[in-house]
């Protein structure tokens, strides 16, 4: 058995110097034929080893009967054989010292248990030979920067030449790789490379992301993600990318249950909670998009332009109606629009009435006759406005298209601020389209994508402020008790745990008789609340277990009897255990939750409490722990923030206390880590002078001894 | 002075038998040249009269020196002269008996006061001669059904032939007419016609909508609207269209303030409240879209397909990743998806594991080798499922494209259920694109538009149930008082008005001294509320004018003093007038408003009250009056509906009483009509046993004697 000295690097896999094609043929109708032709047509300048026992040469290249017959070990071998031949072939590749096998073969781990077992076996074989695997169930790769057109997708023949550029795309979907390759090509977006990673049996999304980021020709890496194997590694890579001035842009399937289910049967990826992924991306500056086609185009615009500075968006178009619709859509999509400076207005005054100096500016709304000078002046004036941070031009069928386009290309090349060019002409204006492609000015064709491109520029501008590259520093005080409880945590237990972390809870006394309760109430001072303690009960109020606003002893005794009855009903045979609690003043109720999201780690989730929980679904999630500053950002992002901040002139509440409490809870989550299944504080009441956890429950696993 | 016997019909204007072109030339670079060439190239079969004093013939046609020299009165004349020549030319046209002038000339009413005055004068001239005007500030029309290519838009030359079909488009924007013409052409949507109506100085949107609806070749009329001149006429036309099995689809600018402002400077249209327009559309079955390009394509899909029946959407694609994203986007856009029947599953079992029988179905996820039979069977199985009400096929670069496409065309032609075809291949798959165009199967190219097309089909399916073709019948009881108050209505006055309409208000007594208040409170029974009566005060609570929960006389007297002090602060010198009111039990608070929206008439607006007003902006608006049934639909559409309907097992509130109160308030709005400026009930509290207007204020204009 021959074994390589060391594994090939992933960077070398995506830019291989030699490629073995198992099953090579001249027939373009066959898989092995398409790959071979694409490699040749797109000028691969490394060595190609066709392997086909029936042929001496294929497409003019010397052909070899088997992997074992190769004169040298190839960097990579492409394998698209039926599953039955896979083990033997992978072994032969290993024996031959192949650096990496790209396994196209599908119906493995994503398909059946037998497939998963076979997949595990080929990984084992590969490991034995220090050989890497791409796939299985993948579609190859297209790396213009290395002249590698190693895929059977017919879009490669369509494209004629691969448009080189600084956007990479790592895809968990093979079909999307082909689809996005053509979208990029047709919208003037040059690629440094794209790869379909399939089931990620060995090499995964992070490996290829890293490999593309290492390439000098890559500025933005796009990702289509179904499931993330290692969130922590992803985080490190993303932060390193940012530090190097590069960007990650991602679409992730599984925002909804329906999407999750579909992703699961596609590449056997457990999608994981989208909100945990979203929180992770925010922490490490990864930009999210909702549509793959749009992602590759918008990423091209991001990669081709300078970053967006301070200010708003200015749009020029040649349709008053189109402009009005854009104004509406910007307002609805929260796209900030620029107000022209007086200097800009004066410059526009030569041709446009003040009443027509809108943003969007309709070029057609000028005074007097049509001259290109009018358009040119307007474009320069608006683009030059210091308050304009991004410039949008929407070209619909309009007068003076060639001159206007030439002007815009000139401005784009100045690279002063990002330009989003919208060629909204369908198939009309083919000359302009070609001119844009020739100029290397990436463009969108629809308003939807224009808004997404602006969103990406805006999100990128905001990302630095929102990122949390480092863990927050620990607050003073928090500590776990020596003996941790296990299983369902009742309210008193949950509160004791929180108290240990410095989270304020109402003063309370657990009582087992009316007499004890009366003594406790006197000590706490009226008014008080009674709460029946019953394990496993989530909505205590619904079962009559909570009696608030008890003003005196007579009321207390009556309420005690009622709660005792409710306990007997909820948990027959249970002894009455009733908590007597201090009443807390009014305020705004939050819900604070902790969830353990597997590889994503413990998460803290804050939302509007009370009736808002279900009505508003107004929640925000971050990985624990969070600092009080991050907690404040979370609160500010809630729709109910105005209530905390003193809506309608009311005195603002004690937001600092709320932030502190959230941070402390998040540390509890971080410290308990995977022992903590879930934890919920509902409500966390924020008053004018504090933030108090009025209720709590949770579930803890036993410590792993 | 010659005067026509009768005005030409609008139907004849859009299908004219003779056209005079003022300023006709052979130069395609000039406006008059482009129109002439387009008319000839697209086979206009009526009479063309070129008018040009310098020429004998133009493009082989006999040319006339002036309008006055024409051998017969033309149906229409096209005028694109500078403003200075307009009056004389319009007069000459009138003298010559022209049926209608299409006035392209811009910079009139939309531009300046002088322009508006000139516009008014040409209207006056036209009226004098019973001549109609289209525009000014318009771009002509394209009516394939009448071979009329009467526009200078170069998209006409691009299109080569006008695609005939059953979709019309009436546009307040000329640029959009040209842009949407090409969008329709390129997406397989045939037009019956499109017209740019400009400033609507004479003929307006309703006139042309009606004219297109009268044509047999029209099934759907699309509208781009900036401002609606006569909502009531629009309503009648829309209802008549529905009754005839035709549909109106509209995009309206001015959903936001920014869009409104832009629309105003574009065609001098006051956009009017979008919510009033939305309410009108709902009442009369007009379908709304947010994007003009998408509107024309989606309308083509609506017009080309049978109506959507009962059931959900089924999607087939050839990308697992693409399918997962579609699943997510459908879930987020509330697109109902079909569940396959057992029969369908069994049919799919031949090639797909149950775990891979998803919706969307990824054709590529089959067992065994690739054969077209597999795709065919899957498409037939899913399309044939009785629970599938609409069928989506997403074509990305995929295997077996020609056969798959042919199969889908065959299914489409069966016209059993609507099909939305997504050709998501950018410029790849040009053969398939041509095949779709040849087959007359309209298609979208992006997921965004696919969702909009489905939304349109779904909205159309729901429209019949939501429409209110007739005014509701009057409830018993409501009556206006003999003497109406005027100006700002204080709470007691507003409540008296509501009481007259049978809306429940708390029992109350207006008092001017502590002694009177004490007597009143005893009569009403404690607890009571005190409210200071001060005109023009909106947020009474903020000024300390409201004291709720007064339990006894001591508290009452103390509270009286405080409110009196607050009155003195709010309205220095005013005598203390304080309302003593019955306390109403707890419940859910609504806000009910009445607004007068000019031509749209009085409107009733219901929303979540209390703190929700500003946080949720959870409101619904309809034209007054509304029946209790419509009021219930309004409430059901609110996000807080679960609270009214008994959220989390609580007893449901008295929704019937709330519906009754809303209906009664809407009748008050209808009866007061334009006298009522505004009226607000905040809150309308819905309890377990009633709905009570706890506060009210408003403004009434004096009656027009």
């Amino acid at each position: 058995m021959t074994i390589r000295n060391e594994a090939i690097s992933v960077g070398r896999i995506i830019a291989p110097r030699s490629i073995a094609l198992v099953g090579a043929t001249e027939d373009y109708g066959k898989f092995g034929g398409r790959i071979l032709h694409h490699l040749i047509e797109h000028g691969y300048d490394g060595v190609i080893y066709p392997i086909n026992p029936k042929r001496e040469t294929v497409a003019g290249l010397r052909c070899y009967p088997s992997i074992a017959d190769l004169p040298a070990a190839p960097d990579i071998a492409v394998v698209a054989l039926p599953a039955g031949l896979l083990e033997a072939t992978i072994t032969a590749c290993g024996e031959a010292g192949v650096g990496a096998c790209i396994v196209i073969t599908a119906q493995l781990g994503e398909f059946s248990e037998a497939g998963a077992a076979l997949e595990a076996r080929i990984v084992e074989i590969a490991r034995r030979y220090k050989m890497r695997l791409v796939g299985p169930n993948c579609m190859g790769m297209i790396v213009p920067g290395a002249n590698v057109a190693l895929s059977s997708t017919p879009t490669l023949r369509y494209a004629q030449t691969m448009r080189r550029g600084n956007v990479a795309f790592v895809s968990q979907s093979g079909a999307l790789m082909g689809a996005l390759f053509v979208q990029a090509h047709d919208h003037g977006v040059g690629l440094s490379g794209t790869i379909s990673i399939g089931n990620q049996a060995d090499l995964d999304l992070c490996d290829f992301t890293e490999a593309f980021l290492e390439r000098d020709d890559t500025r933005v890496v796009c990702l289509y993600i179904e499931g993330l194997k290692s969130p922590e590694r992803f985080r490190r890579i993303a932060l390193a990318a940012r530090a190097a001035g590069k960007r990650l842009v991602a679409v992730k399937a599984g925002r909804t249950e329906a999407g999750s289910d579909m992703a699961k049967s596609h590449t056997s990826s457990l999608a994981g909670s989208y909100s945990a992924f979203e929180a992770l991306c925010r922490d490490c500056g990864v930009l999210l998009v909702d549509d793959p086609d749009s992602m590759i185009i918008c990423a091209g615009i991001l990669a081709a332009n300078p970053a967006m500075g301070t200010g708003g968006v200015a749009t020029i178009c040649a349709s008053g109606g189109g402009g009005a619709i854009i104004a509406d859509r910007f307002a609805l999509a929260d796209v900030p629009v620029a107000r022209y400076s007086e200097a800009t207005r004066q410059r526009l005054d030569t041709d446009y009435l003040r009443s027509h100096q809108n943003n969007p500016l309709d070029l057609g709304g000028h005074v007097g006759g049509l001259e290109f000078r009018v358009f040119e002046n307007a474009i320069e004036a608006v683009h030059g406005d210091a308050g304009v941070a991004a410039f949008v031009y929407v070209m619909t069928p309009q007068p003076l298209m060639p001159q206007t386009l030439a002007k815009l290309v000139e401005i784009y090349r100045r690279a002063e601020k990002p330009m989003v060019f919208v060629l909204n002409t369908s198939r009309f204006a083919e000359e302009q389209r070609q001119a844009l492609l020739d100029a290397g000015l990436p463009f969108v064709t629809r308003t939807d994508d224009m808004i997404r491109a602006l969103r990406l520029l805006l999100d990128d501008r905001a990302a630095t402020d929102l990122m949390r590259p480092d863990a927050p520093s620990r607050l003073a005080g928090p500590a776990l008790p020596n003996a941790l409880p296990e299983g369902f945590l009742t309210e008193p237990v949950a509160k004791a745990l929180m108290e240990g972390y410095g989270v304020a809870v109402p003063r309370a006394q657990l009582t087992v008789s009316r007499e004890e309760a009366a003594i406790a109430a006197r000590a706490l001072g009226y008014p008080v609340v009674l709460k029946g303690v019953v394990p496993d009960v989530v909505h205590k109020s619904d079962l009559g277990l909570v009696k608030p606003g008890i003003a005196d002893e007579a009321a207390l005794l009556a309420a005690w009897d009622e709660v005792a009855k409710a306990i007997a009903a909820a948990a027959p045979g249970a002894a009455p255990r009733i908590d007597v609690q201090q009443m807390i003043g009014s305020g705004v109720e939050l819900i604070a939750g902790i969830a353990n999201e597997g590889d994503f780690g413990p998460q803290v989730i804050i939302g509007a409490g009370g009736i808002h929980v279900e009505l508003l679904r107004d929640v925000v999630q971050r990985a624990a722990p969070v600092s009080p500053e991050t907690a404040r950002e979370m609160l500010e992002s809630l729709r109910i923030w105005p209530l905390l901040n003193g809506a309608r002139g009311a005195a603002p509440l004690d937001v600092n206390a709320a932030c502190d409490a959230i941070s402390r809870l998040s540390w509890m989550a971080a410290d308990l880590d995977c022992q903590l299944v879930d934890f919920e504080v509902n409500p966390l009441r924020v008053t004018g002078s504090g933030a108090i956890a009025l209720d709590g429950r949770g579930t803890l696993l036993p410590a792993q001894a």
Side-chain angles (χ1 to χ4, degrees), chain A:
Chain A
M1 178 163 121
T2 327
I3 301 182
R4 291 173 63 91
N5 289 331
E6 53 174 351
I8 191 170
S9 73
V10 184
R12 177 83 174 258
I13 293 173
I14 59 173
R17 295 186 202 151
S18 51
I19 301 171
L21 290 178
V22 180
T25 156
E26 268 149 6
D27 182 356
Y28 191 79
K30 292 194 175 149
F31 177 87
R34 280 202 298 282
I35 289 204
L36 181 62
H37 283 290
H38 293 158
L39 273 175
I40 296 168
E41 285 165 17
H42 288 285
Y44 177 61
D45 50 12
V47 184
I48 304 175
Y49 298 116
I51 295 176
N52 188 334
K54 298 177 192 151
R55 299 289 299 270
E56 287 291 310
T57 62
V58 173
L61 297 170
R62 161 131 192 233
C63 194
Y64 299 86
S66 76
I67 289 272
D69 300 310
L70 295 183
D75 282 352
I76 61 173
V78 182
V79 178
L81 301 168
L85 302 174
L86 217 45
E87 279 179 274
T89 309
I90 298 294
T91 306
C93 287
E95 282 290 338
V98 167
C101 276
I102 301 198
V103 186
I104 310 291
T105 313
Q107 303 185 10
L108 294 175
E110 85 286 6
F111 213 67
S112 61
E113 283 184 27
L118 175 55
E119 185 172 309
R121 286 201 300 278
I122 63 168
V123 172
E124 209 193 298
I125 295 168
R127 295 241 160 95
R128 218 182 292 153
Y129 292 101
K130 285 192 183 154
M131 182 172 71
R132 306 308 305 259
L133 293 183
V134 183
N137 185 24
C138 77
M139 292 288 282
M141 60 187 177
I142 304 170
V143 187
N147 298 312
V148 175
L150 190 76
S151 172
S152 65
T153 173
T155 57
L156 272 167
R157 179 159 274 185
Y158 155 79
Q160 296 180 352
T161 56
M162 300 185 285
R163 196 178 298 283
R164 280 152 199 272
N166 51 11
V167 177
F169 174 41
V170 179
S171 179
Q172 252 187 286
S173 158
L176 279 181
M177 181 187 77
L180 268 57
F181 170 73
V182 71
Q183 292 288 358
H185 181 85
D186 287 348
H187 293 84
V189 175
L191 296 179
S192 62
T194 172
I195 187 161
S196 148
I197 60 177
N199 293 359
Q200 310 179 77
D202 173 25
L203 289 168
D204 71 5
L205 183 106
C206 282
D207 294 310
F208 292 108
T209 303
E210 215 167 31
F212 277 116
L213 285 170
E214 275 164 16
R215 290 182 64 92
D216 290 339
D217 64 2
T218 304
R219 190 166 169 208
V220 174
V221 181
C222 291
L223 305 166
Y224 169 70
I225 304 176
E226 297 191 340
L228 207 53
K229 275 175 142 185
S230 167
E232 180 47 32
R233 186 174 166 212
F234 182 75
R235 201 181 78 87
R236 284 198 311 271
I237 292 172
L239 289 173
R242 278 254 158 205
K246 303 191 173 191
R247 298 290 181 264
L248 297 185
V249 180
V251 168
K252 184 171 177 299
R255 269 197 294 171
T256 67
E257 216 185 304
S260 271
D261 289 351
M262 180 93 189
K264 195 178 163 187
S265 74
H266 181 223
T267 47
S268 72
S269 293
L270 283 170
S273 137
Y274 189 82
S275 45
F277 176 73
E278 215 172 7
L280 172 66
C281 289
R282 190 180 176 100
D283 282 351
C284 61
V286 174
L287 308 171
L288 290 175
V289 184
D290 68 340
D291 178 88
D293 296 309
S294 193
M295 168 172 66
I296 198 81
I297 303 169
C298 295
I301 291 168
L302 182 71
N305 278 289
M308 185 168 173
T310 312
V313 174
T315 304
I316 292 192
C317 57
S319 161
I325 294 296
I326 290 168
D328 277 338
R329 296 198 59 191
F330 277 175
L332 293 168
D334 286 327
V335 172
V337 296
R339 290 177 64 89
Y340 302 139
S341 68
E342 181 54 28
T344 301
R345 293 198 173 275
Q346 285 176 13
R347 202 161 162 193
L348 290 172
D349 283 343
T350 51
D351 308 295
Y352 295 88
L353 300 178
R354 290 261 160 154
S355 60
H356 284 57
Q357 293 176 10
N358 298 301
N359 178 10
L361 180 77
D362 170 14
L363 283 183
H366 58 87
V367 181
L370 179 61
E371 289 174 80
F372 180 63
R373 180 200 57 73
V374 174
F375 285 16
E376 187 171 32
N377 182 55
I379 291 168
E380 284 284 7
V382 170
H383 182 269
D385 190 308
V388 171
F391 179 82
V392 176
Y393 190 88
V394 183
M395 185 165 273
T396 41
Q398 63 163 81
L400 304 174
M401 296 179 80
Q403 301 96 308
T404 306
L405 190 109
K407 181 75 205 167
L408 291 162
V409 168
E410 178 209 321
I411 287 182
Y412 166 72
R413 291 206 168 130
R414 289 184 211 154
E416 290 164 357
K417 45 186 83 170
M419 177 186 290
V420 179
F421 192 101
V422 189
L423 186 69
N424 188 6
T425 56
S426 194
R427 300 271 170 150
F428 180 75
E430 286 298 274
E431 264 175 59
Q432 279 64 50
R433 181 176 170 268
Q434 196 54 54
L436 287 167
L437 292 173
D438 293 345
L441 200 173
F443 57 93
V444 296
T445 60
R446 295 295 299 272
T447 306
D448 300 320
D449 287 336
M450 179 246 278
I451 289 172
R452 286 193 183 95
L454 290 170
R455 198 69 265 159
L456 199 59
L457 291 164
L458 289 161
D459 288 353
D460 185 49
R461 180 170 79 173
T464 321
D465 285 344
L466 299 173
M467 278 167 62
R468 297 189 304 148
D470 307 307
S473 49
R474 207 172 175 86
L475 296 179
L480 287 177
N482 292 329
L484 272 178
E486 282 175 21
F488 182 88
L489 310 181
T490 57
E491 182 178 333
V493 176
K495 281 183 173 168
L497 204 56
M498 288 192 275
E499 268 197 290
Y501 271 81
V503 177
V505 298
R507 282 178 296 126
Q509 178 74 46
L510 184 62
T511 66
V512 295
S513 71
R514 309 170 89 230
E515 294 70 28
E516 273 187 29
I519 296 167
R522 254 171 278 152
L524 292 166
Y526 286 97
V528 296
V529 187
L530 290 193
K531 289 189 180 180
V533 177
V534 182
D536 300 319
V537 166
V538 176
H539 294 305
K540 281 197 275 271
S541 302
D542 297 355
L543 298 178
L545 293 166
V546 180
K547 298 283 166 193
I550 297 167
D552 54 35
E553 192 157 317
L556 176 89
L557 297 174
W560 207 93
D561 292 343
E562 287 179 48
V563 174
K565 224 180 279 176
I567 292 174
R577 299 169 71 234
I578 300 181
D579 221 29
V580 184
Q581 300 182 359
Q582 170 199 16
M583 269 286 276
I584 300 298
S586 66
V588 168
E589 300 201 333
L590 298 175
I591 180 169
I594 294 170
N596 199 317
E597 297 242 29
D599 292 339
F600 287 90
Q603 308 272 313
V604 57
I605 304 162
I606 306 296
I611 54 160
H612 291 104
V613 176
E614 277 144 56
L615 287 185
L616 284 183
R617 293 181 197 283
D618 183 21
V619 292
V620 53
Q621 176 169 343
R622 296 294 164 79
V626 297
S627 66
E629 293 70 37
T630 302
R632 175 176 279 267
E633 265 173 33
M634 292 171 77
L635 291 176
E636 286 173 354
S637 76
L638 290 178
R639 219 196 286 224
I640 57 150
W641 169 246
L643 295 184
L644 291 165
N645 200 29
R648 283 237 312 253
L653 301 175
D654 193 346
V655 173
N656 287 337
C659 296
D660 185 76
I662 292 166
S663 177
R664 287 171 187 280
L665 282 170
S666 78
W667 275 106
M668 191 175 95
D671 291 345
L672 288 167
D673 198 10
C674 45
Q675 243 189 293
L676 192 107
V677 179
D678 56 33
F679 197 91
E680 186 179 289
V681 182
N682 186 11
L684 174 67
R685 185 176 292 164
V686 188
T687 69
S689 60
I692 301 106
L694 295 195
D695 198 351
R697 60 181 180 87
T699 315
L700 269 189
L701 295 176
Q704 309 266 323

